[in-house]
Amino acid sequence: MSRLGGHKSHFRPASDIVPGLGDPTLQKYKATVTKKGQLKPRTVDLSRTVNRSAHHTNNYEIPNLVLRRGQAFEMVITFERAFNVKEDSIILKFVTGSRPLQSKGSVVSVRKLEDALPGDWSYEISSVMERSVTLKVTSAANAIVGRYEMFIDSIHQPIEGEAEKHRYKHPDDIYLVFNPWNEGDEVYMENSTERDEHVLRETGRIWLGTVGKFCVRPWNFGQFDDVCLFAAMALLEKSELGDQARNNPVQVVRAICRVINSTERDSGVLCGNWSGKYDDGVAPYAWNGSSAILEEFLKKRKGVKYGQCWTFAAVATTLLRALGIPTRCVTCFRSSHDSDFSNPINAHWSADNRPRKNMDDAVWDYHVWGESWLKRPDLPLGYDGWQAFDPTPQECNEGVFTCGPASVKAVRKGELYYGFHSKFLFSEAHGERVHWLVDADGNMTAFRVEKRVVGRQISTKAAGTISRLDITDLYKPPEGSQEEADILKSAARLCFRAMPRQIVNGTEDMEFTFQGEGHKSGDINVTLKMKNDSGEARTVDVYLCFISAYNTGVPASDLKDHSECQVIDPHAECDVKMSLKCADYINNKDTDSHVNVYVIATARETHQRFATRDTMWIEKPHLEVKTEGRTSLSQPFQVVLKVVNTLGVPLTNGVFNVEGPGIQRVMGIKLKKPIGPGEECRETVTLKARRSGRQEIVANYYCRQICDVASAAELDITDDSKDSKN
């Protein structure tokens, strides 16, 4: 496989990149192989098992030695003759990158600790036992992350006479990744529970849905699967991030973020698609994990079809965890996409109380981005910690489709002048909706402002549990506080934010309250409550409509509408209701679309208007995943998948997908017949594990009517070969 796949090195010839290898004098020493004093390695033991365990890299499936920078590791060199401490010496050289140069730090000459500068690579001789020499090697805490070749220069310098030299090249590459366990590394994370969660844990949870109606997707990040580290290294090369910059986690996060999305300008990992039409690829909701996506990308060398925001963020999380950077997925419910926080979210209505949907600004029901834990030496003190980035292709920022990393602390404070793209992240979590009345000539009058529409219930997985952790307070101050008012004012000034100068909404003596709910059966009921606080009767024209829409807020098709006129007596109340049966809409929309409701009411006497829109997510059926609880590497095991149809219509063309970290992946298990209302379906799948440990089996179900029905179950996998040895 080529360097892109990670198996074959594309380094320049060693004689070009390691000083002295092409030297004629050195060639003389290489030719004199029979000289009595020459020191030649016979074997080099990298102590993979011991070192990988000490470096928390034993779960990586690739057979190579994987090390974390700034941490010591041991190697044993056995020479063809006894090692003479007084006359023999060793110099190690580590080489990485596409254009390795010592001046760029990508060729590292490692000398004994007493000869090295503080913080540099160094080694100590731990022991000498005749021919065997044990070295303790320590890389720099700010070393370049990547794949290294290792050379060993052994030199015999007798008391009298010329030095005899020999150069040995180790046949296996060594991988060096970031080290969150090392205080000297810029990704250091002190909290062990958080570190285990965001670096070592291979499965997680991503929250979808809408405000108050969550839909959780278990996800197999699988960062230790063999393909993931290969892909991470290949994508760093593809990003054209300079070798020297690969020691900087800020630049690495930025580079990975940039190569995730595939656009007309950049061929990244995933092609985005929110159209509901995925016949020429894999639907975004069909994926269970990142490894399958990365495998297809490395195989075809072009963007994988298809992904959406949460798959973009999940794949980025996998790659960054594989590189050793603590990373997590974050969901913002009701997220806006005003790229520079310059404008409010606009909704438009005609004079006859109808929504002008094609003119509206989009508010996503949910949007998922990522956060990585980093120090920010490029910013003033106090901005270390979680840094937000958004790999979903939306807007072109500074010439590229990328966003972040931006300090979450800076976003919360409204300090939008700190890089990278803090304005964009701020706008995704802040904003109000302005409702406009559009007359026949296209003139517009603002009549209502809905405060705090976006940036609700910002969520991530709690470390050490499968629970949702609300982190809204990391992005926003308390609602209604003076701190919030000051931050919004400052942000608006920095972004030249334009708001309507005048809001015209007549005499406001009516109270309006909207309520809506989606049921397990798939039926949806909405109610507009109206109360007349005046001493006179009010005639109110009400319009409600249901439409199918995607999670981006883009409307798809009209489903049902209702209009009526109500006369409300002084100090009286009145309700207007509308319902939508599951059977009346579920087969008339795309699988991954849902129902939005638009509501407007106008009092004729005062011209007071009320308008709003909301998202109705129905409660999905439950998928149950049952495992045997315990199995071994040598034995296949069975997983039972069960789904019960709680909707009022049959579920047709059903499909199961199942996988797990280090576990065989099975996709596209098609069900033979529909699942009727109230019926259940069971499917037994046989899998096999590649590595031991406590793992999660992740499964999902989708059909013509619904998707994002997912669950997970744990399984203990033992290694029989180790047990038999013990």
Side-chain angles (χ1 to χ4, degrees):
M1 186 180 291
S2 69
R3 179 74 179 273
L4 183 64
H7 293 293
K8 183 180 179 182
S9 174
H10 281 190
F11 293 124
R12 291 154 51 196
S15 59
D16 292 344
I17 58 180
V18 182
L21 197 60
D23 192 305
T25 307
L26 183 56
Q27 297 301 324
K28 179 182 72 174
Y29 292 128
K30 291 179 66 179
T32 317
V33 295
T34 58
K35 280 198 170 184
K36 182 178 179 180
Q38 191 174 45
L39 186 68
K40 294 178 62 177
R42 174 174 291 176
T43 61
V44 178
D45 182 4
L46 296 179
S47 304
R48 286 181 177 85
T49 302
V50 173
N51 286 324
R52 284 169 61 119
S53 178
H55 284 245
H56 308 279
T57 60
N58 47 315
N59 282 333
Y60 284 95
E61 288 184 353
I62 64 172
N64 304 63
L65 178 60
V66 182
L67 301 170
R68 298 193 185 274
R69 65 182 190 174
Q71 183 173 338
F73 64 96
E74 288 193 347
M75 56 187 292
V76 180
I77 307 173
T78 301
F79 294 99
E80 293 185 349
R81 64 165 175 80
F83 184 83
N84 186 328
V85 177
K86 293 182 179 180
E87 296 184 355
D88 297 331
S89 61
I90 300 170
I91 297 175
L92 305 176
K93 284 188 170 66
F94 292 88
V95 180
T96 189
S98 57
R99 291 177 54 83
L101 293 169
Q102 192 161 356
S103 59
K104 298 292 187 181
S106 50
V107 175
V108 183
S109 182
V110 185
R111 299 180 181 272
K112 293 181 71 172
L113 179 62
E114 55 265 30
D115 300 326
L117 296 173
D120 280 358
W121 291 63
S122 63
Y123 77 83
E124 301 175 76
I125 297 179
S126 300
S127 67
V128 177
M129 298 185 66
E130 295 187 353
R131 298 183 179 187
S132 295
V133 179
T134 301
L135 302 183
K136 183 179 180 181
V137 186
T138 304
S139 61
N142 63 345
I144 293 172
V145 164
R147 185 171 65 251
Y148 282 80
E149 289 181 312
M150 184 179 72
F151 298 86
I152 301 173
D153 288 350
S154 50
I155 305 167
H156 174 65
Q157 179 63 66
I159 297 175
E160 295 181 359
E162 295 182 350
E164 299 180 47
K165 302 178 182 179
H166 182 270
R167 170 160 288 155
Y168 167 89
K169 179 184 181 299
H170 197 274
D172 298 331
D173 291 338
I174 295 173
Y175 289 81
L176 192 66
V177 298
F178 292 99
N179 191 353
W181 284 263
N182 187 334
E183 292 187 36
D185 198 309
E186 290 181 348
V187 303
Y188 172 66
M189 180 174 257
E190 183 178 11
N191 187 301
S192 61
T193 303
E194 295 277 348
R195 189 174 57 223
D196 290 347
E197 178 70 42
H198 306 307
V199 180
L200 298 181
R201 189 168 181 85
E202 294 185 77
T203 56
R205 300 294 186 273
I206 302 173
W207 272 263
L208 314 181
T210 189
V211 174
K213 185 75 76 170
F214 303 130
C215 170
V216 62
R217 281 296 304 259
W219 188 261
N220 175 25
F221 294 112
Q223 65 267 29
F224 301 127
D225 286 0
D226 54 5
V227 68
C228 296
L229 188 56
F230 289 148
M233 296 298 177
L235 287 165
L236 281 181
E237 292 179 8
K238 181 179 176 59
S239 74
E240 300 182 352
L241 181 66
D243 296 340
Q244 198 170 9
R246 296 181 193 182
N247 74 335
N248 183 341
V250 174
Q251 294 299 332
V252 168
V253 170
R254 188 161 170 75
I256 291 296
C257 182
R258 184 168 61 247
V259 296
I260 291 296
N261 62 72
S262 186
T263 65
E264 293 180 357
R265 296 174 52 178
D266 302 294
S267 179
V269 176
L270 269 169
C271 299
N273 187 342
W274 288 263
S275 70
K277 306 295 187 291
Y278 314 113
D279 292 342
D280 60 337
V282 177
Y285 50 77
W287 301 110
N288 265 330
S290 304
S291 299
I293 296 170
L294 294 171
E295 281 181 10
E296 185 172 340
F297 171 73
L298 290 181
K299 181 180 178 181
K300 296 184 177 179
R301 305 293 198 274
K302 61 181 181 180
V304 177
K305 298 179 179 181
Y306 287 106
Q308 293 179 356
C309 63
W310 52 284
T311 45
F312 282 90
V315 171
T317 296
T318 293
L319 294 167
L320 293 170
R321 287 186 183 182
L323 292 170
I325 300 176
T327 306
R328 65 187 184 183
C329 292
V330 171
T331 303
C332 176
F333 291 99
R334 291 187 189 160
S335 177
S336 68
H337 290 271
D338 171 24
S339 62
D340 59 0
F341 195 62
S342 59
N343 292 292
I345 303 145
N346 296 307
H348 304 84
W349 303 84
S350 65
D352 60 347
N353 282 1
R354 296 296 184 272
R356 301 289 296 270
K357 299 185 290 290
N358 62 320
M359 302 174 69
D360 291 351
D361 295 331
V363 175
W364 291 30
D365 298 329
Y366 62 86
H367 183 52
V368 183
W369 60 73
E371 288 180 352
S372 289
W373 183 269
L374 313 171
K375 291 180 181 177
R376 291 299 299 267
D378 57 320
L379 300 181
L381 292 176
Y383 294 90
D384 298 341
W386 290 115
Q387 312 292 319
F389 63 90
D390 190 346
T392 301
Q394 305 157 99
E395 308 286 345
C396 189
N397 289 297
E398 299 176 7
V400 293
F401 283 86
T402 189
C403 176
S407 168
V408 173
K409 293 177 182 177
V411 172
R412 188 189 187 281
K413 295 178 181 179
E415 295 173 334
L416 309 185
Y417 35 79
Y418 290 139
F420 296 91
H421 311 123
S422 52
K423 288 182 181 180
F424 195 105
L425 270 302
F426 187 88
S427 74
E428 290 189 310
H430 296 79
E432 56 282 294
R433 179 185 282 133
V434 178
H435 293 269
W436 297 82
L437 184 67
V438 185
D439 67 18
D441 296 324
N443 300 310
M444 299 184 187
T445 304
F447 66 87
R448 183 173 188 239
V449 176
E450 287 184 275
K451 296 288 187 181
R452 306 181 187 92
V453 170
V454 302
R456 315 293 296 179
Q457 295 173 313
I458 302 176
S459 306
T460 190
K461 179 182 178 295
T465 77
I466 59 172
S467 302
R468 184 183 72 91
L469 176 66
D470 193 305
I471 57 170
T472 308
D473 61 332
L474 297 184
Y475 283 85
K476 307 174 73 170
E479 291 186 357
S481 66
Q482 185 60 47
E483 182 185 10
E484 180 194 42
D486 293 342
I487 287 173
L488 290 174
K489 183 178 179 180
S490 173
R493 176 179 56 81
L494 291 170
C495 300
F496 304 98
R497 189 168 178 79
M499 285 290 291
R501 294 185 178 182
Q502 186 176 7
I503 307 296
V504 179
N505 196 24
T507 302
E508 298 189 358
D509 53 17
M510 291 282 300
E511 295 181 27
F512 298 93
T513 305
F514 174 77
Q515 298 174 344
E517 185 178 5
H519 302 279
K520 281 187 176 182
S521 64
D523 296 347
I524 298 172
N525 296 319
V526 298
T527 302
L528 177 64
K529 293 181 174 295
M530 301 179 290
K531 182 181 178 183
N532 182 1
D533 292 328
S534 74
E536 300 176 1
R538 293 287 181 252
T539 304
V540 183
D541 295 306
V542 179
Y543 176 80
L544 304 95
C545 71
F546 289 121
I547 67 164
S548 67
Y550 304 106
N551 75 283
T552 56
V554 175
S557 59
D558 295 335
L559 298 173
K560 183 179 181 180
D561 66 353
H562 171 75
S563 60
E564 66 178 74
C565 177
Q566 289 284 347
V567 177
I568 307 174
D569 293 333
H571 306 293
E573 299 181 11
C574 178
D575 293 349
V576 175
K577 299 183 178 182
M578 185 170 67
S579 62
L580 185 64
K581 294 292 185 182
C582 181
D584 294 335
Y585 75 89
I586 199 76
N587 289 305
N588 299 323
K589 68 175 189 64
D590 290 321
T591 300
D592 57 348
S593 66
H594 52 269
V595 176
N596 278 0
V597 59
Y598 289 72
V599 182
I600 187 169
T602 304
R604 295 181 183 178
E605 293 82 3
T606 62
H607 303 292
Q608 178 185 353
R609 287 182 172 84
F610 168 84
T612 191
R613 53 179 288 190
D614 204 355
T615 301
M616 300 288 111
W617 275 63
I618 61 174
E619 190 170 336
K620 305 289 179 69
H622 174 66
L623 173 63
E624 185 177 352
V625 181
K626 288 187 176 181
T627 70
E628 299 171 6
R630 185 179 180 87
T631 189
S632 65
L633 287 177
S634 61
Q635 296 294 326
F637 62 93
Q638 291 188 330
V639 176
V640 179
L641 308 175
K642 184 181 82 170
V643 65
V644 178
N645 181 10
T646 57
L647 300 183
V649 297
L651 303 180
T652 59
N653 301 326
V655 177
F656 283 117
N657 298 303
V658 60
E659 64 178 86
I663 295 171
Q664 176 186 357
R665 181 188 315 118
V666 180
M667 295 185 68
I669 306 169
K670 296 181 179 180
L671 303 189
K672 296 178 180 179
K673 61 180 182 178
I675 309 174
E679 293 181 355
E680 71 173 46
C681 174
R682 292 174 181 262
E683 190 77 22
T684 300
V685 185
T686 301
L687 303 174
K688 201 170 188 304
R690 298 189 301 273
R691 47 191 165 92
S692 59
R694 189 168 183 81
Q695 307 290 5
E696 264 195 320
I697 307 297
V698 177
N700 74 47
Y701 167 83
Y702 64 90
C703 61
R704 166 62 187 86
Q705 292 74 24
I706 55 173
C707 60
D708 296 323
V709 178
S711 189
E714 290 190 327
L715 180 71
D716 285 318
I717 305 169
T718 60
D719 188 343
D720 290 345
S721 62
K722 292 181 180 179
D723 293 342
S724 61
K725 291 179 182 179
N726 294 334

